[in-house]
Amino acid sequence: MSRWQIARDTALRSALHLSDRAGLHAALARGARQAMQSVVLGAAAWLVLRGDIGAGALFASSVLTARALAPIEQIVAGWSVLQHAAEAWARLYTPPRSAGPEATLGPGAPPMHLPRPLATLEVQQLAVVPPARQPRRCAASRSNWSRGRRLG
């Protein structure tokens, strides 16, 4: 087996394991939400039977509980996306290995000096056609505009 195949198989096994764990967490969150909804629904039914609340409150408690717990379930389901975003944000401030020890990134890094822009615009094959599909008003096969020039 080549090194590439070994690395690929290792990555696939790792991804499968992480996918299984993410699925387990999502299933546990969904199960906990459903259990909580059942408890609230049972408590509301008991209160209806005692005559403390009306049947409309039973229905309202079920809907409100579902609406209140749904964002928590969504956060658990999307946790890996949040984790990847945090890792990507941290990578923004770490220099690549090939940059060397003198490379510094982040808010305290010295500014990068770039050459001044040339302030020219080059246009190739420009055509302006009004919305009513009339003949084109302006056409240019190739034009260069430097600073201070205008079109018209």
Side-chain angles (χ1 to χ4, degrees):
M1 239 198 255
S2 70
R3 285 188 323 173
W4 179 83
Q5 286 177 326
I6 293 170
R8 181 180 173 272
D9 290 344
T10 304
L12 285 175
R13 272 193 302 273
S14 176
L16 183 61
H17 175 70
L18 291 176
S19 175
D20 288 346
R21 288 195 56 185
L24 174 67
H25 290 149
L28 288 174
R30 187 172 26 261
R33 178 187 57 84
Q34 289 176 345
M36 180 81 75
Q37 277 183 267
S38 297
V39 167
V40 169
L41 192 59
W46 181 70
L47 290 173
V48 167
L49 291 175
R50 284 187 48 197
D52 292 339
I53 62 172
L58 172 78
F59 179 70
S61 69
S62 175
V63 171
L64 287 175
T65 305
R67 296 279 176 125
L69 296 177
I72 297 170
E73 184 179 350
Q74 290 172 352
I75 288 172
V76 170
W79 187 254
S80 64
V81 175
L82 293 173
Q83 197 171 20
H84 288 135
E87 290 170 0
W89 187 260
R91 281 194 308 266
L92 285 176
Y93 291 114
T94 51
R97 285 181 244 160
S98 62
E102 70 279 351
T104 57
L105 302 172
M112 179 184 291
H113 299 289
L114 298 173
R116 288 187 59 88
L118 296 176
T120 61
L121 175 67
E122 182 179 334
V123 177
Q124 296 179 5
Q125 299 179 354
L126 169 72
V128 178
V129 180
R133 295 185 183 194
Q134 299 171 359
R136 59 184 176 198
R137 298 283 184 190
C138 174
S141 61
R142 186 178 183 126
S143 297
N144 286 324
W145 286 281
S146 60
R147 186 178 5 180
R149 286 188 61 197
R150 67 183 178 94
L151 175 66

